């Protein structure tokens, strides 16, 4: 359940497997889990009349686990509500999500909606954070790992990033958030090696700042090394920045793999209509 992101200057940053987090809540609150899953897939809006590749279906299922773990909210009254057998009886909040702010700042701040109706039970936490604190209370992880996981929970956000530079020898990538033009230096050895020398292309992923360093903390939703020219970069910046199009996380999935809500067309249909290879 606990993974690490290795760093040249530390012993590895701890991450929770979001699939394990989702499974914990599927067992503890099956009704809430099923409701969240229906909401996610309704927003993604995949075409039910098309056969989708198994790899795409797996990617979307993994993306659901990331969204569930980071952006759903736990009912505060259930955090310490264990059964007689000692098993947790964690429940999701039904009223609001636990999403990051949607202004594109990328600082991981929450939007303030994650509280119960009367405020007596305090702020809601994400399933990811509740699971991390549970592991700590059970003695399964130490204070350093818990601190890493709290930072991941507090700072993570998803967006489309333009690749300004990739350097395999430094295990670093310099990327720019297309929504607001903010730049981030990511520590990510696999991606830095894959895109070594690139000065263009895009990655849609979730990143977090841990121990002062930004790193990917999920599986990339989409990535493409081409097209990589300045015209493409400017077009993306205009569409997602000046154009004000700021998808939430299911919206990013829908953009590449689902159907647009207004036209009902997916990316493949649009490419066919425009004569663009896809």
């Amino acid at each position: 359940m606990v993974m690490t992101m290795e760093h040249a200057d530390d012993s590895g940053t701890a991450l929770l497997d979001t699939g394990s987090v989702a499974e914990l809540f599927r067992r503890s609150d099956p009704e809430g889990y099923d409701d969240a899953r229906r909401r996610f897939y309704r927003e993604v809006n995949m075409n039910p009349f098309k056969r989708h590749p198994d790899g795409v279906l797996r990617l979307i299922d993994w993306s659901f686990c990331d969204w569930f773990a980071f952006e759903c909210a736990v009912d505060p009254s259930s955090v310490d509500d264990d059964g007689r057998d000692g098993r947790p009886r964690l429940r999701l909040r039904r009223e609001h999500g636990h999403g990051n702010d949607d202004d594109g700042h990328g600082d991981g701040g929450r939007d303030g909606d994650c509280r119960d109706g009367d405020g007596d039970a305090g702020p809601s936490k994400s399933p990811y954070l509740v699971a991390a604190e549970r592991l700590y209370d059970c003695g399964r992880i130490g204070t350093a790992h818990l601190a890493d996981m709290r930072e991941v929970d507090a700072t993570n956000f998803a967006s489309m990033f333009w690749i300004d530079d990739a350097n395999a020898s430094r295990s670093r990538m310099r990327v720019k958030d297309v929504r607001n033009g903010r730049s981030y230096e990511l520590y990510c050895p696999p991606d830095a090696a894959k895109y070594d020398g690139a000065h263009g292309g895009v990655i849609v992923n979730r990143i977090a700042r841990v121990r002062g360093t930004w790193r990917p903390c999920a599986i990339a939703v989409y990535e493409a090394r081409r097209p990589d020219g300045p015209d493409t970069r400017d077009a993306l910046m205009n569409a997602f920045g000046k154009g004000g199009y700021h998808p939430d996380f299911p919206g990013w999935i829908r953009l590449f793999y689902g159907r647009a809500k207004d036209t009902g067309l997916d990316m493949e249909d649009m490419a066919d209509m425009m004569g663009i290879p896809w």
Side-chain angles (χ1 to χ4, degrees), residues 6-247:
E6 296 300 326
H7 188 297
D9 301 323
D10 62 35
S11 58
T13 298
L15 273 178
L16 281 182
D17 177 359
T18 57
S20 297
V21 174
E23 177 63 16
L24 170 65
F25 280 81
R26 187 188 71 81
R27 294 174 179 271
S28 179
D29 182 13
E31 181 180 340
Y33 173 90
D34 288 345
D35 179 64
R37 192 172 178 87
R38 281 192 297 269
R39 287 190 290 118
F40 178 83
Y41 276 89
R42 185 168 59 243
E43 286 299 307
V44 170
N45 196 27
M46 296 183 70
N47 190 337
F49 303 106
K50 279 189 175 182
R51 179 176 177 82
H52 303 284
D54 290 343
V56 169
L57 296 178
R58 286 194 299 271
L59 172 64
I60 294 173
D61 205 42
W62 289 332
S63 298
F64 161 74
C65 293
D66 291 336
W67 171 83
F68 181 94
F70 289 120
E71 298 193 23
C72 287
V74 179
D75 181 346
S77 66
S78 74
V79 173
D80 298 316
D81 181 22
D82 291 354
R84 292 183 178 180
D85 59 1
R87 294 181 181 274
R89 297 195 294 187
L90 299 167
R91 299 181 300 276
L92 291 181
R93 277 200 45 197
R94 302 298 197 267
E95 297 86 357
H96 299 288
H98 187 71
N100 288 320
D101 59 354
D102 60 3
D103 61 3
H105 287 181
D107 57 7
R110 304 306 184 185
D111 59 14
D113 287 336
C114 303
R115 297 180 180 273
D116 67 345
D118 57 15
D120 291 340
S124 295
K125 297 177 180 179
S126 71
Y128 185 91
L129 182 58
V130 168
E133 292 177 344
R134 189 92 191 182
L135 287 173
Y136 177 76
D137 291 341
C138 294
R140 300 277 298 278
I141 62 174
T143 55
H145 280 177
L146 178 61
D148 288 349
M149 294 170 189
R150 281 177 168 164
E151 281 200 89
V152 169
D153 179 74
T155 64
N156 79 86
F157 73 102
S159 189
M160 177 187 287
F161 300 96
W162 181 262
I163 303 169
D164 279 334
D165 182 63
N167 189 313
S169 64
R170 297 181 59 242
S171 299
R172 306 277 174 160
M173 292 179 67
R174 190 173 68 251
V175 300
K176 184 173 295 183
D177 189 336
V178 301
R179 298 172 306 171
N180 53 38
R182 296 190 180 188
S183 294
Y184 300 86
E185 184 175 79
L186 305 182
Y187 174 79
C188 46
D191 286 341
K194 184 192 305 184
Y195 291 95
D196 186 37
H199 299 288
V202 297
I203 293 180
V204 180
N205 204 351
R206 187 180 297 271
I207 67 174
R209 185 180 62 239
V210 188
R211 305 185 192 181
T213 301
W214 287 97
R215 319 159 190 246
C217 62
I219 296 172
V221 170
Y222 177 82
E223 51 187 316
R225 187 159 184 167
R226 302 285 190 276
D228 59 356
D231 290 346
T232 301
R233 178 198 60 207
D234 294 345
L236 291 172
M237 295 289 182
N238 285 331
F240 292 98
K242 295 178 182 178
Y245 180 40
H246 295 169

